[in-house]
Amino acid sequence: MVSLDKDGHLIYKGLLTAKEIATIDEILNALKEEIPQIESDLEETYGKTVLYRYYLGKFLGELLMKYNISVAERRRFWDEIKTFATQETRIRDEGANSVTRSFYEQCYVLSQQDLNVVQKLSARQWQDLLDRVGNREDERIFQWIKNKSEKIREDDWREFEKGLHLYLKNKDTSVFTDEELFEVYDSIFEMSKYWRIAFKQFSKDFPKSDKIKSKARRSKKYQETCFKLKKERRVPLDDDVFSEAFEMAMK
């Protein structure tokens, strides 16, 4: 309901009565007091870990109910917290309209998951997943994460996210059973791990190679080749496919 003009002055949106303005001011004042305190308390307890975001999301969920904020209004509400209430410097570009890239929206979404799922990934890994809406459109990915016996390495996760994004183009995963979908996730994850190990060995064997500098481009080619070989030969993603794709990517 409020924003700042180009000179930094508070402006109210719409034609509001004095009572409505007073209510908005009351909410703003409450947010200015509550948000910095809860963020400070959580940082003292959890640092800037994923648990900080999880429990902040729990608090934000209470605010949504307390102030009767609809789904359509959530992004504006998060922006108002970011602009008027928090004392944190949140400089990440969240876009003007995208709800999913909002820091506070991601905290809220995270808080809707089971805690034992949340703890399987770092704050950065969750941000990557929540940014990529297509990768989490099928919510069974949260169950797959929960089933992982160990935390996932940051570098493996980045490659997994890119591979999953590439695989999911124009695919309807609702036709997959849980077992079939989890097998897809597992195979793409193994593909990602193979890349990390193989590229590390290549870097040791050829430390002066210019190919090391083009890692991102070659990683993309590796993934594309893996999926191409799988489709053409109608074979599963396995070490044979990974090995051949890696050699082709590093030519």
Side-chain angles (χ1 to χ4, degrees):
M1 297 297 295
V2 293
S3 61
L4 295 176
D5 65 17
K6 60 183 180 63
D7 297 318
H9 299 138
L10 179 66
I11 56 174
Y12 300 89
K13 296 181 179 180
L15 298 175
L16 304 177
T17 65
K19 183 177 181 181
E20 288 172 329
I21 291 176
T23 300
I24 292 171
D25 288 343
E26 182 180 344
I27 293 175
L28 276 179
N29 288 333
L31 292 177
K32 288 177 181 178
E33 180 178 344
E34 294 175 342
I35 293 297
Q37 186 62 57
I38 191 68
E39 289 181 332
S40 176
D41 290 346
L42 289 175
E43 182 176 2
E44 183 177 345
T45 303
Y46 302 109
K48 288 299 180 67
T49 66
V50 69
L51 292 180
Y52 168 92
R53 300 188 182 203
Y54 173 79
Y55 286 111
L56 178 56
K58 289 290 187 184
F59 176 75
L60 294 172
E62 295 174 1
L63 294 183
L64 293 179
M65 295 182 61
K66 179 179 180 179
Y67 297 124
N68 195 28
I69 305 298
S70 68
V71 173
E73 295 171 326
R74 278 211 312 249
R75 174 58 199 259
R76 292 196 297 273
F77 186 60
W78 304 143
D79 287 345
E80 288 168 3
I81 290 177
K82 180 178 177 180
T83 302
F84 299 104
T86 185
Q87 293 180 1
E88 296 287 331
T89 303
R90 306 202 182 281
I91 59 176
R92 180 175 184 248
D93 181 10
E94 298 179 344
N97 300 309
S98 172
V99 175
T100 59
R101 286 184 60 84
S102 166
F103 172 79
Y104 292 112
E105 173 70 10
Q106 293 192 355
C107 290
Y108 172 69
V109 171
L110 197 60
S111 73
Q112 304 307 296
Q113 302 302 319
D114 291 340
L115 184 57
N116 59 351
V117 176
V118 172
Q119 291 177 300
K120 290 295 178 70
L121 300 179
S122 68
R124 176 59 184 272
Q125 288 170 316
W126 276 112
Q127 180 177 295
D128 288 343
L129 179 59
L130 296 176
D131 278 351
R132 293 179 182 267
V133 181
N135 283 10
R136 62 180 173 91
E137 189 171 12
D138 192 318
E139 295 190 355
R140 287 178 290 178
I141 193 171
F142 299 118
Q143 182 62 44
W144 178 78
I145 293 171
K146 180 180 179 180
N147 293 343
K148 300 297 289 182
S149 59
E150 298 177 349
K151 288 186 176 181
I152 301 173
R153 290 173 57 115
E154 294 275 355
D155 45 5
D156 287 343
W157 180 256
R158 286 193 299 272
E159 293 299 319
F160 171 76
E161 282 269 74
K162 290 189 293 183
L164 186 58
H165 177 72
L166 188 62
Y167 175 82
L168 289 177
K169 285 183 179 179
N170 303 317
K171 284 188 175 61
D172 177 13
T173 59
S174 66
V175 301
F176 294 154
T177 64
D178 289 356
E179 183 178 358
E180 290 170 337
L181 184 60
F182 292 169
E183 185 176 326
V184 169
Y185 291 150
D186 287 338
S187 65
I188 295 176
F189 185 62
E190 290 303 316
M191 180 181 76
S192 304
K193 290 200 300 183
Y194 188 98
W195 165 261
R196 168 176 55 84
I197 295 169
F199 190 86
K200 182 178 179 180
Q201 187 61 50
F202 179 90
S203 300
K204 287 183 177 180
D205 294 340
F206 308 99
K208 297 182 179 181
S209 174
D210 289 339
K211 296 176 182 178
I212 297 174
K213 300 177 183 178
S214 56
K215 181 179 180 180
R217 176 170 60 82
R218 294 182 184 278
S219 165
K220 182 178 180 181
K221 183 177 180 181
Y222 161 75
Q223 293 183 345
E224 290 174 341
T225 304
C226 283
F227 291 133
K228 181 181 178 181
L229 293 175
K230 170 181 166 38
K231 182 178 181 180
E232 290 178 348
R233 300 176 183 177
R234 297 184 179 181
V235 295
L237 289 173
D238 57 18
D239 283 357
D240 290 337
V241 170
F242 302 154
S243 177
E244 185 173 347
F246 184 81
E247 288 184 12
M248 295 174 69
M250 300 305 291
K251 283 184 178 178

